[in-house]
Each structure stands twice: as C-alpha cells, then as structure tokens.
Amino acid sequence: MTRGYGIYALRRVVQAAVVILLAYVFTFVVISVLPGDPVTNTLRNPQNGFTEEEITRIVSYYGLDRPVYVQLWESLSRFVTGDLGISLRSGLPVSRLVGEVLPSTVVLALSALAVAVLLAFAVAFGTRYLPARYGQGLLRAFPSLFLSVPNYVIGLLLINVFAFQLGLFRVIDAEAALPTFFAAVALGIPVSARVAEVLIANLDHEAGQEYAAVARSRGLGQTRLFFRHLLKPSSLPVVTVIALTVGELLGGAVITEKIFGRTGIGSLVERSVTTQDLPVLQAVVALAAVVFVVVNLLADLVYPLLDPRVRTRDKEAATS
C-alpha cells in the first residue's frame, strides 16, 4: 500500500464517520425531539401500565428532564459505546434485542448479495459468449424481467413450488439452510438486475476498445479475454451499484423475512412499530445508516485497487 492510498483511505474514513454522526443526529431529532415528545407520550399512556417510579427512571435515563443538547450528547455518547438504550416495552437493552435477531438478517442479506452477484455475472457472461441459438439475445432481457417482479412475488412462488409442491423444505423451519437459500434467491433476483445491467453495458463498452481487438488478434480465447482483460475495468461501476443496493437488501429483507417466517430485523421492526417502542426503532434506523455508510466506504476503498486513476483524481480534487 502506498502513502497516497493511505491518505485517500484516511480521508474516506473520516468522511464516513462524519456522515454516520450526522445520520444519528438526524434520526435523534426526527424521533426524539419533534413536538409531542413521543417517548414521554408512550410512557404516560395508561394502556402501557408504567408506574410513576418506572417512568421517572426511564425519563432520567433518556434525559427527558434536561435540555435537548444534553439529551443528544448523552444519546450520542451511548451510541458510540454500543449502548442503544432500553426498550420501552420489554425493559431489556435494545442492543440485546437487536443482537438476537441481527445474525439472521445478516445471513439472509449476505446470501442474497452472493446470489445477486453470481446471477448478474452469469447473465453478463452469457450475453457475450453464449451461442445465439441458445438464447444469447434473450439473456439481455433478463435484468428487466428480474427488476419488474417484486421479491415478495418471487418468494411466494418459491414457497409454493419448492415447499408445498415438491416438499424440499418446511416453512416452519425457516432458519434452516435450504429455506435460507430460497429466501436469499427471492431477495437476490431483483437486486441482480441493476448489477447485471451495469456490467453488461460496461462489458459491451470494453469489448469495443482497441486493446480488446489486439488481444483477439493475438489469438486470446474468449474466456481468457473476459477474465483477464474485460472483467476488471468493467467492475468499477459494478462496485458502486453493489454498494448502493445495500439499502434495497435491508429493505427487502424485512419483507422477505415476513414471507418466509424468519425472525430477524424485520420482525423486530414490525413489533416495535406496533407497540411504539421508539428506542428500538431509533436504534434500527441508526444501525441501518451505519451499515449503508460502511459498505459504501468499503466500496470507496476498493475503487483505487481496481483503477488507480480514482486516487489520482481524488488528490487533484483535494488540491484544486
């Protein structure tokens, strides 16, 4: 790693940290500080059954009897140290509630991302090298098809065919390997559409460049040409698209978990919305922002490794 890359990486890390802090402050303002004080309103609701002693303890914990800037500082301090607050419903630490369901969602999201990337690269490779008589032109329509079908429709079809008709997995055993795979397929197919579209467009562009024609004239095979010369320069925009699809994966995971009966962040959010457990909602929104920013940070750090010109342009922009 060069010194220039280290400076580039440090700058990106600092920018990501600032964005995360601003996202948390925005979330805090929207959920906790807007007129009406939703936390206090929840506590004072007779249907929730809080005693005065419990209300006093929770108000003191969240600093609701202190100025707004003190509340924000204490909330931000807790967040930085991993303290996400206390649930207004169960009285348990929010970090514990999130930690119990987060692994299931992470497994689903990563599996769906793997399915999306593999499917996108397979479609893109086929559009270039699959013989026309086997449907090479038809493959170019796949991304539009994938994008037009919602993930919940795909999920219901997969459950109907592979669970009910073929009996390959049981719906009640949603956390097992096979149900997780089909849930990942349902979530990953729509995500693969954007990745495939960008990759196909960039492969078409790179295949028309002079260096590709020179490689062909030297007798380089199609497969070696694809992996040695076309894939790397075509992957830079794909990294961007993959990073931007993280939000779609997180949002789609909520729906997919519901369809397949999985216990994850989606079920926690649904339960928290129903019971107005605002500290849990705030924690989930903040963590989603952290995940999105971190993934895009990783994409920024990968760019110069794929194309060193990115680091050069960043240095020129900083000195201009």
Side-chain angles (χ1 to χ4, degrees):
M1 293 294 179
T2 64
R3 181 174 178 272
Y5 180 80
I7 296 175
Y8 169 86
L10 179 61
R11 184 181 296 116
R12 287 291 185 263
V13 170
V14 172
Q15 291 173 350
V18 171
V19 171
I20 290 174
L21 292 178
L22 291 177
Y24 185 83
V25 170
F26 177 77
T27 304
F28 177 88
V29 170
V30 170
I31 294 182
S32 302
V33 182
L34 287 180
D37 194 355
V39 175
T40 302
N41 288 344
T42 301
L43 296 175
R44 295 293 179 184
N45 188 338
Q47 296 180 351
N48 296 331
F50 287 104
T51 65
E52 284 298 325
E53 181 181 353
E54 291 172 332
I55 293 175
T56 301
R57 186 173 65 252
I58 294 175
V59 167
S60 176
Y61 174 83
Y62 284 107
L64 299 177
D65 53 349
R66 280 168 281 183
V68 171
Y69 65 87
V70 176
Q71 297 179 36
L72 175 58
W73 174 254
E74 293 189 355
S75 178
L76 192 58
S77 300
R78 290 195 300 266
F79 176 72
V80 171
T81 59
D83 184 356
L84 302 178
I86 302 296
S87 169
L88 296 182
R89 292 297 171 179
S90 64
L92 297 173
V94 175
S95 57
R96 175 179 171 181
L97 297 176
V98 173
E100 290 175 351
V101 298
L102 185 60
S104 176
T105 299
V106 169
V107 168
L108 175 60
L110 291 179
S111 301
L113 181 60
V115 169
V117 172
L118 291 175
L119 183 58
F121 274 77
V123 171
F125 183 83
T127 58
R128 297 215 57 80
Y129 304 117
L130 187 70
R133 64 179 179 273
Y134 294 137
Q136 181 191 59
L138 182 63
L139 281 178
R140 291 183 177 271
F142 275 29
S144 298
L145 175 63
F146 294 162
L147 195 60
S148 63
V149 183
N151 65 322
Y152 66 87
V153 173
I154 299 174
L156 292 174
L157 288 174
L158 292 175
I159 291 174
N160 181 56
V161 174
F162 293 98
F164 296 154
Q165 297 186 18
L166 299 180
L168 295 183
F169 67 92
R170 296 184 300 170
V171 178
I172 60 174
D173 193 16
E175 303 294 334
L178 204 54
T180 299
F181 168 74
F182 284 109
V185 171
L187 181 56
I189 286 178
V191 174
S192 71
R194 294 184 178 87
V195 180
E197 286 179 340
V198 173
L199 185 57
I200 290 171
N202 282 277
L203 285 173
D204 290 343
H205 172 75
E206 295 298 330
Q209 299 300 306
E210 184 175 344
Y211 74 87
V214 172
R216 293 191 197 94
S217 67
R218 292 179 177 177
L220 194 66
Q222 296 283 23
T223 302
R224 295 182 64 189
L225 174 65
F226 178 85
F227 287 103
R228 291 184 57 182
H229 296 283
L230 300 182
L231 186 58
K232 185 175 179 178
S234 301
S235 298
L236 187 58
V238 173
V239 173
T240 305
V241 174
I242 292 175
L244 293 176
T245 58
V246 171
E248 185 176 347
L249 283 173
L250 294 176
V254 174
I255 301 174
T256 305
E257 287 173 349
K258 184 67 175 178
I259 294 172
F260 282 83
R262 298 175 61 86
T263 302
I265 291 293
S267 59
L268 179 64
V269 170
E270 180 187 14
R271 186 167 63 250
S272 301
V273 170
T274 303
T275 60
Q276 296 182 329
D277 200 343
L278 298 181
V280 176
L281 292 177
Q282 180 175 335
V284 171
V285 172
L287 287 177
V290 169
V291 171
F292 187 82
V293 171
V294 169
V295 170
N296 281 273
L297 170 63
L298 294 177
D300 284 341
L301 297 181
V302 168
Y303 292 159
L305 303 180
L306 295 176
D307 187 353
R309 293 172 298 178
V310 172
R311 189 164 65 242
T312 302
R313 290 195 295 267
D314 182 79
K315 183 177 180 180
E316 293 175 350
T319 56
S320 61

